[in-house]
Amino acid sequence: MRTTTRPALLAVGAVATLALSLTACNDGSGTQDSGAAGTSASSATPSGSTSTSASASAPAAASASSGGRTSTSGGGSSSSGTGGGGVTAACTTKNTSVTFLQSSGHASDAQPAAATLKITNSSGAPCTIVGPTTVVADDDQGKAGPVSGDNSKDGSGAVDVPAGAAVVADVLYNDVNGEGTKSARYTCPVQASHVKVALPKDAGTTVNVMKANGSPGGVFSVCGTDFKVGAFAAR
């Protein structure tokens, strides 16, 4: 009798234990699976968001970078254009040398004496003469007042002078004294061994008068109150 009852009790206990075990297992498994799924979804969402943001930022950065390069390139092109269109400098005493040659012959009834005013561009860049050029002569002895002339009427238009080149203008004057004695026929009130030459908008420079052949010792002898300066031209 005891043998039959004991196995039955053991069997009932085993079934109960198995039922409790299965119940606990099901509850724990369900809770863990839900937590794992939540964690996985949570991890996936930030990852996807970060990836999308990075993708959107990349084109914007590239566009900004490209825009920066375009602006710089445009600025360089504008600067280059401005440099290429610079204005030619004016001819002044700082970038030219002046030569004044007396006439090779005396004035006559048919024509005046003709001295030569020569402007040489001594710089390494072209310059231009725009406006009247003035020449003033003082008597060496101070016995007569200064006389002057310019080319405001006879030609003061713009003249470009290339680097190293020269332009010349005729200075027309009377060097014959019709009122004096024969011996003083060519002695005028103004006997100038030097003249002051002022280019447009320039203070001017004083140079010695040279003989017609370019040697020193020339004299600008002027009878009268004025003289004429012609237009500059290359010769």
Side-chain angles (χ1 to χ4, degrees):
M1 288 293 294
R2 284 181 296 197
T3 302
T4 303
T5 301
R6 185 181 177 98
L9 291 175
L10 289 175
V12 172
V15 171
T17 300
L18 179 60
L20 290 174
S21 176
L22 290 174
T23 301
C25 181
N26 288 337
D27 291 343
S29 175
T31 302
Q32 290 175 355
D33 289 346
S34 175
T39 302
S40 177
S42 176
S43 300
T45 299
S47 176
S49 175
T50 301
S51 176
T52 301
S53 175
S55 298
S57 299
S63 177
S65 176
S66 175
R69 288 195 298 273
T70 300
S71 176
T72 301
S73 175
S77 176
S78 176
S79 175
S80 176
T82 302
V87 178
T88 303
C91 295
T92 67
T93 54
K94 294 182 179 180
N95 57 15
T96 64
S97 60
V98 180
T99 304
F100 191 92
L101 305 172
Q102 71 176 51
S103 177
S104 58
H106 293 291
S108 67
D109 293 338
Q111 60 184 18
T116 301
L117 173 61
K118 181 179 181 181
I119 307 297
T120 302
N121 184 348
S122 55
S123 72
C127 67
T128 187
I129 303 173
V130 183
T133 295
T134 303
V135 178
V136 178
D138 284 307
D139 179 54
D140 290 345
Q141 302 300 319
K143 295 180 179 181
V147 291
S148 65
D150 61 46
N151 61 356
S152 58
K153 294 182 179 179
D154 296 308
S156 58
V159 177
D160 293 327
V161 187
V167 292
V168 299
D170 290 330
V171 179
L172 306 179
Y173 64 105
N174 177 32
D175 65 345
V176 178
N177 186 354
E179 298 179 357
T181 63
K182 186 176 182 179
S183 61
R185 182 173 176 79
Y186 300 114
T187 302
C188 294
V190 175
Q191 299 284 316
S193 61
H194 57 272
V195 295
K196 182 177 181 179
V197 178
L199 291 168
K201 300 180 181 180
D202 190 60
T205 184
T206 299
V207 296
N208 292 329
V209 176
M210 311 297 285
K211 292 182 178 180
N213 61 7
S215 61
V219 177
F220 185 43
S221 180
V222 183
C223 294
T225 59
D226 60 7
F227 50 85
K228 294 182 178 181
V229 180
F232 285 107
R235 293 185 188 173

